Amino acid sequence: SPNKLAVLIDIEEGVRARAGQVTISGNEKVPTSDLPELSTQSGQPYSEEALANDRERILSYYFNHGFPNASLEIATKPSTSEPNREEVSFTIQEGQRFTVDQVMVSGTEHTRSYVVNRELQVSPGDPLSQQDLLNTQTRLYDLGIFGQVDTAVQNPEGSDPKKNVLVQLHEAKRYTFTYGAGLEFQTGQPAGTNAPQGKTGVSPRVEFDVTRLNVGGRNQSLAFQSHVGRLQQRGLISYTVPKLLDSDKWKLIYTIFYDNSLDVATFTSQRLEGKVDLRQQIGNSGVEP
């Protein structure tokens, strides 16, 4: 048809290349059996993407097992014994292995030491691991009581194989206040001479909430919520223990709730409720071990 252009894509696949002999060398401190399994395998289709993935996985393994200066070179060449095959060699430069000497925590004013220590994923004598540093930072942020968490290695360029790990904390504000004011309306109030169909109730309303984080420096929280007006009054107090018995899977919550509704033609209610809630998390916490 006019003003239209047909596009034809002609593909010539050629011969599929496959990986030939795959060799790993240079790993003197880490056995080949301990390294991640390679995506590039002899006889499988040859893929540049698979090579890039293998490179990332091998280096990540080294970075997380105390070798921050590890490097990797990948070389390929056509096989001399089999047609359409690419021989692949991985050459590793391991570099020096580093371990953790001391873990130094600073910046805590109200938080108790054990609250921080149970979240640390690095310990003296462990291989220096980038992933462990990131997991430590994530777990401390997840407590919700720190506004800033920084982790670093002291003197990372030095030749000393033992490195101090620094954890710098900044505690978040412990109190949060929320307040508001308004009006609430309600129809169906008792009928009278001036309003034979019943009148509309109007009342000012005040809301005030307070949250206290890190009660006693134990990463436990206390919350108070209130809703007060002439037609209705509500109040709630809750106390949360997020890591019962130092476990990520158990949470304990105490709750007291009060509700009082007045001046309603159809009903008048008052309720006082108390509850103890024990919760268990099924599955892992989302942080790598």
Side-chain angles (χ1 to χ4, degrees):
S1 58
N3 302 323
K4 291 187 177 181
L5 180 65
V7 178
L8 178 64
I9 300 177
D10 187 13
I11 300 175
E12 294 184 6
E13 292 182 327
V15 179
R16 169 175 282 182
R18 297 184 178 274
Q21 184 179 9
V22 179
T23 59
I24 299 177
S25 61
N27 53 317
E28 300 176 355
K29 302 170 186 175
V30 178
T32 301
S33 58
D34 289 350
L35 295 175
E37 184 178 1
L38 298 178
S39 300
T40 304
Q41 297 289 337
S42 179
Q44 296 297 317
Y46 174 81
S47 169
E48 296 286 348
E49 182 179 0
L51 291 178
N53 290 337
D54 289 336
R55 174 187 177 85
E56 181 178 355
R57 293 170 64 197
I58 291 175
L59 287 180
S60 293
Y61 180 90
Y62 272 96
F63 294 159
N64 293 328
H65 287 79
F67 297 89
N69 300 319
S71 62
L72 174 65
E73 293 183 1
I74 301 177
T76 62
K77 64 178 182 179
S79 174
T80 57
S81 58
E82 298 178 277
N84 304 315
R85 297 279 182 126
E86 290 287 333
E87 295 182 352
V88 181
S89 61
F90 295 87
T91 304
I92 301 170
Q93 299 290 334
E94 293 180 319
Q96 189 174 12
R97 186 169 199 166
F98 295 100
T99 58
V100 178
D101 187 12
Q102 299 181 58
V103 182
M104 309 171 71
V105 179
S106 62
T108 55
E109 297 181 16
H110 306 284
T111 307
R112 301 201 177 200
S113 297
Y114 78 88
V115 173
V116 175
N117 291 340
R118 69 187 177 189
E119 307 302 331
L120 299 178
Q121 302 299 294
V122 289
S123 302
D126 288 349
L128 187 62
S129 166
Q130 291 184 352
Q131 188 62 52
D132 287 346
L133 293 178
L134 290 174
N135 288 345
T136 295
Q137 193 173 26
T138 299
R139 290 179 65 93
L140 289 170
Y141 267 125
D142 286 346
L143 293 178
I145 61 176
F146 299 113
Q148 184 173 342
V149 179
D150 295 313
T151 59
V153 178
Q154 189 177 41
N155 190 22
E157 303 300 329
S159 59
D160 190 343
K162 293 185 177 181
K163 300 292 184 183
N164 292 332
V165 172
L166 311 178
V167 181
Q168 176 67 42
L169 304 172
H170 179 74
E171 293 178 346
K173 293 181 179 179
R174 293 182 294 164
Y175 284 96
T176 302
F177 298 92
T178 304
Y179 54 87
L183 294 174
E184 57 185 15
F185 299 86
Q186 190 174 79
T187 60
Q189 295 297 305
T193 304
N194 297 330
Q197 301 300 322
K199 60 182 180 179
T200 300
V202 181
S203 170
R205 182 181 67 185
V206 177
E207 297 181 7
F208 181 70
D209 302 339
V210 181
T211 301
R212 170 70 153 82
L213 298 177
N214 207 13
V215 178
R218 294 182 174 90
N219 184 35
Q220 300 171 7
S221 61
L222 177 66
F224 169 75
Q225 300 175 5
S226 64
H227 171 128
V228 180
R230 186 174 62 86
L231 302 177
Q232 188 178 59
Q233 301 89 43
R234 288 182 176 179
L236 181 145
I237 299 175
S238 66
Y239 189 85
T240 303
V241 182
K243 292 178 181 283
L244 185 64
L245 301 176
D246 290 346
S247 172
D248 292 336
K249 297 184 180 296
W250 292 96
K251 177 184 292 187
L252 183 64
I253 304 173
Y254 301 92
T255 305
I256 299 176
F257 176 75
Y258 172 78
D259 177 80
N260 185 34
S261 298
L262 302 172
D263 297 332
V264 182
T266 55
F267 69 92
T268 298
S269 70
Q270 188 175 78
R271 181 173 60 162
L272 179 63
E273 178 182 312
K275 181 174 66 172
V276 178
D277 189 6
L278 180 62
R279 302 180 185 179
Q280 180 185 13
Q281 175 179 306
I282 305 300
N284 58 41
S285 60
V287 177
E288 293 184 15

